[in-house]
Amino acid sequence: MSPHTSLISTLSLFLGTALTISSNHWITAWMGLEINTLAIIPLISKSHHPRAIEASIKYFLTQAAASTIILFSSTINAWSTGQWDITQLTHPTACSLLTSAIAMKLGLAPFHFWFPEVLQGSPLIIALLLSTVMKFPPVAIFLLTSNSLNPTLLTTMAIMSVALGGWMGLNQTQVRKILAFSSIAHLGWMTSIIIFNPKLALLTFYVYILITTAIFLSVNTTNSLSLSTVMTSWTKTPPLNAALMLTLLSLAGLPPLSGFLPKWLIIQELTKQEMAATATIIALLSLLSLFFYLRLTYYSTITMPPNAINHMKLWRPSKPMTPAIAILMTLSSTLLPLSPMML
């Protein structure tokens, strides 16, 4: 890909995100989503590998269908109420359609099937963009319409996402697929609370982005794409792998690390809203995710492979350690004591 094409795609990506986040009209929000979709497709398919082409086609079809449903739901609402304002979503059918469309864009269950496949076919940095930046516009629409959404539908999708994100990640050996199912499970936690406390949902999303960015950048530094390569990467950068262990445990939500903060507050808020059963279910289902986080942690730092390993050791070009990785990993592990200042 030429530098000009890459620059145009990257600028369009941030333009579409800013347009959707800052808009209060359905048409401009839809335009921002479409700009986002068209900007990321060349970045996904730039390697011209068949898997990358397949991932870009799957991404385009899914996002186009979700954008069409968003436009359809906003048209139904405008037809019945005369309002194109995002915050004035009142028609029940439009609310249900919008909830389904945003769930499709985010990769929430049961609309999650495209997300692991697209992440697996993308380079690591593009997979990072798909897991973080590309989720900003749908989450912004979720927050703007949180008062109008169907609570039963959202709670059902949240429980399904946490369950499927943990269950389907158990037998994965590819790092990108593990992080994809981790994303589905974390978005399930965020969706469970978005109606009752949108600020807490946004805090959960920010903490997820912080920890996921640190993990993707560290995995990109060691070029570890599967569990077998993670197992041998400790010889290249031992300090980075030690920090990666803490970051993975933080993503799992273990105290006293940063990832424990949103889960703790979500369980507390759900209990206040007399949804103790939902809080108990998602807390128990998160143990499934904890298993594959611990397995990844075990492979990255504790397991020392024997001398005669059963696969060819890959040659990895050395990549420089950047200060950004150190800062992100520090924040991913030490934000819990600062929580009174953040809330």
Side-chain angles (χ1 to χ4, degrees):
M1 178 182 288
S2 69
H4 299 291
T5 308
S6 180
L7 178 64
I8 291 172
S9 296
T10 308
L11 290 178
S12 301
L13 191 64
F14 289 105
L15 171 65
T17 302
L19 184 62
T20 302
I21 291 174
S22 60
S23 63
N24 59 357
H25 194 282
W26 279 114
I27 298 298
T28 52
W30 172 79
M31 286 171 58
L33 292 171
E34 290 300 302
I35 292 172
N36 254 358
T37 302
L38 295 176
I40 197 71
I41 285 174
L43 299 176
I44 297 173
S45 60
K46 67 179 179 181
S47 65
H48 301 293
H49 190 276
R51 185 170 289 169
I53 303 298
E54 179 187 350
S56 60
I57 292 172
K58 286 180 178 177
Y59 184 80
F60 172 74
L61 292 176
T62 310
Q63 299 299 308
S67 297
T68 305
I69 297 173
I70 289 174
L71 198 58
F72 184 50
S73 68
S74 61
T75 307
I76 291 175
N77 188 70
W79 183 269
S80 61
T81 63
Q83 290 284 341
W84 282 98
D85 197 330
I86 292 179
T87 57
Q88 302 298 322
L89 190 69
T90 55
H91 196 276
T93 306
C95 293
S96 300
L97 283 173
L98 179 77
T99 307
S100 303
I102 298 298
M104 192 182 298
K105 277 197 166 289
L106 286 174
L108 287 171
F111 308 106
H112 65 283
F113 295 101
W114 63 273
F115 190 55
E117 299 298 327
V118 171
L119 238 63
Q120 181 61 27
S122 306
L124 277 169
I125 297 300
I126 307 305
L128 169 62
L129 291 178
L130 288 169
S131 301
T132 55
V133 175
M134 297 301 292
K135 295 191 185 298
F136 266 108
V139 168
I141 295 177
F142 247 167
L143 290 171
L144 287 172
T145 58
S146 58
N147 295 327
S148 309
L149 300 177
N150 187 342
T152 306
L153 182 60
L154 274 182
T155 305
T156 305
M157 287 197 300
I159 294 174
M160 288 177 64
S161 298
V162 176
L164 284 168
W167 211 295
M168 298 181 71
L170 290 177
N171 62 344
Q172 298 298 326
T173 58
Q174 299 295 319
V175 172
R176 282 171 291 187
K177 281 198 174 182
I178 290 175
L179 291 173
F181 289 117
S182 161
S183 173
I184 293 168
H186 277 84
L187 288 172
W189 279 86
M190 186 197 75
T191 307
S192 67
I193 202 66
I194 197 164
I195 291 180
F196 308 109
N197 195 336
K199 290 184 180 179
L200 178 54
L202 196 58
L203 174 66
T204 306
F205 185 59
Y206 285 155
V207 172
Y208 159 74
I209 284 180
L210 172 69
I211 302 173
T212 304
T213 304
I215 291 175
F216 265 110
L217 290 179
S218 60
V219 168
N220 184 57
T221 302
T222 57
N223 198 22
S224 303
L225 299 178
S226 63
L227 291 181
S228 58
T229 52
V230 168
M231 190 172 63
T232 56
S233 65
W234 67 273
T235 56
K236 190 153 187 73
T237 50
L240 182 63
N241 273 46
L244 179 62
M245 177 188 72
L246 288 176
T247 311
L248 286 166
L249 293 178
S250 180
L251 191 63
L254 291 182
L257 303 170
S258 304
F260 176 65
L261 172 64
K263 294 187 176 181
W264 176 27
L265 294 175
I266 286 173
I267 291 174
Q268 184 180 11
E269 183 68 27
L270 286 175
T271 309
K272 286 180 183 177
Q273 298 292 337
E274 299 181 355
M275 296 181 66
T278 304
T280 306
I281 290 170
I282 63 173
L284 290 174
L285 289 173
S286 66
L287 295 176
L288 295 169
S289 302
L290 177 62
F291 175 80
F292 63 75
Y293 291 131
L294 288 176
R295 184 177 63 169
L296 199 55
T297 303
Y298 182 80
Y299 272 97
S300 65
T301 53
I302 301 171
T303 301
M304 296 178 64
N307 293 328
I309 53 177
N310 58 0
H311 67 90
M312 185 180 295
K313 189 171 181 181
L314 300 176
W315 178 79
R316 297 187 194 88
S318 60
K319 294 180 182 177
M321 288 281 293
T322 59
I325 299 178
I327 294 170
L328 288 171
M329 285 196 160
T330 304
L331 292 175
S332 299
S333 307
T334 58
L335 279 184
L336 188 62
L338 301 177
S339 56
M341 301 169 58
M342 297 165 56
L343 300 175

